[in-house]
Amino acid sequence: MENTKREFIIKELMAPDFIQIRGNEVDLEEYEETGRSKLKVCLPSKENLCIANVDGKKTDMLFFQNDRSKSMYKRVDHIIFEHLDSRRWRLHLIEMKSSVGEGKWIEIKGKFRASYLLAQAIAGMLELTVSDVVMYTAFEKVRFNPPDTMPAARRVRTGIPAVRMEQEWRGENFGLNFGERISFIHLPVQMERNREGTLEGNLTVSICKAYNGGETT
């Protein structure tokens, strides 16, 4: 990385192993009540910064509002800063779930928003220029059809543009609310359960896969 200040902050000022320098293969693990998940991430770059198990580390920013509906104290499972070149980095936010429905998807989007702001703060400290942002949900099962006993789940609040969750999930019209709806890339990553009951998946990042222009819709 050739940045003495950045390495000093990571090694001498941050908690041990909060950020790890990783190669082009990063093995991520997550434990839920429903079991264990493993995701192998393959990156073009040989030198990347990884914050694994972010949701279990002390990353609270106490100046954020403590309103549960805004999810400002929730985090995704993993954050990776992919080193593109001497100036640019690509941010990967990764959430791992065994199953995703309407309620979980709303929760995941809240985690993405809070974690994106956290990642921006860390990037500022480490003087990382983030040019691209990609958000992923690694999953086994997904279903967005609400049951008949939940008619409220089918309503759209007045004045809010209707965006189908299925479209957001597929990345066709995914965005987060920052006062205006800002578009991001979202990619679902299918995982499979092995004989031991562990969910396993693979994520291969291509050299020019992602571009985020920060367009609003």
Side-chain angles (χ1 to χ4, degrees), residues 4-211:
T4 303
K5 179 182 176 182
R6 180 180 302 140
E7 291 188 3
F8 179 81
I9 292 172
I10 292 173
K11 295 178 180 179
E12 302 296 334
L13 301 183
M14 290 183 169
D17 294 326
F18 176 74
I19 295 180
Q20 296 179 330
I21 301 173
R22 306 290 285 272
N24 61 343
E25 290 190 359
V26 181
D27 293 317
L28 302 174
E29 294 191 24
E30 183 65 21
Y31 294 88
E32 291 185 317
E33 294 180 359
T34 54
R36 182 184 180 191
S37 300
K38 299 172 66 177
L39 183 68
K40 179 180 286 294
V41 181
C42 297
L43 301 154
S45 174
K46 296 182 180 180
E47 196 171 37
N48 306 285
L49 300 178
C50 177
I51 310 175
N53 306 111
V54 187
D55 53 340
K57 296 180 176 177
K58 296 179 180 179
T59 60
D60 290 350
M61 296 183 177
L62 300 181
F63 49 78
F64 278 141
Q65 294 183 20
N66 195 20
D67 185 336
R68 292 184 62 184
S69 66
K70 295 181 180 178
S71 302
M72 296 311 300
Y73 288 87
K74 293 185 177 181
R75 303 288 182 259
V76 295
D77 295 318
H78 311 284
I79 294 175
I80 296 175
F81 291 95
E82 177 193 353
H83 193 194
L84 299 179
D85 55 38
S86 60
R87 294 181 55 254
R88 299 179 304 123
W89 298 73
R90 177 181 294 154
L91 172 63
H92 302 273
L93 302 181
I94 302 170
E95 177 69 6
M96 299 167 71
K97 290 290 183 188
S98 57
S99 62
V100 179
E102 294 209 351
K104 282 292 182 184
W105 180 236
I106 293 171
E107 176 187 321
I108 290 169
K109 288 184 65 179
K111 289 184 177 184
F112 280 143
R113 183 172 68 171
S115 301
Y116 172 69
L117 293 177
L118 170 66
Q120 282 190 311
I122 293 172
M125 295 178 207
L126 301 181
E127 299 179 347
L128 307 175
T129 300
V130 175
S131 60
D132 304 331
V133 182
V134 193
M135 304 182 184
Y136 308 84
T137 307
F139 72 103
E140 179 186 22
K141 301 175 183 178
V142 60
R143 182 182 178 185
F144 287 118
N145 296 328
D148 293 336
T149 55
M150 296 174 58
R154 301 181 183 274
R155 300 192 193 117
V156 177
R157 288 176 290 171
T158 303
I160 298 179
V163 178
R164 293 180 62 84
M165 289 186 177
E166 294 91 336
Q167 288 180 303
E168 287 192 314
W169 172 257
R170 293 193 299 265
E172 296 172 5
N173 193 6
F174 176 71
L176 299 175
N177 180 19
F178 289 98
E180 56 184 350
R181 192 171 185 274
I182 299 179
S183 296
F184 292 94
I185 295 170
H186 175 261
L187 298 175
V189 179
Q190 181 72 60
M191 293 192 292
E192 303 289 343
R193 199 172 293 275
N194 64 20
R195 293 181 179 179
E196 289 74 36
T198 299
L199 287 175
E200 295 182 323
N202 294 281
L203 170 60
T204 299
V205 178
S206 64
I207 294 176
C208 56
K209 175 193 237 177
Y211 172 73

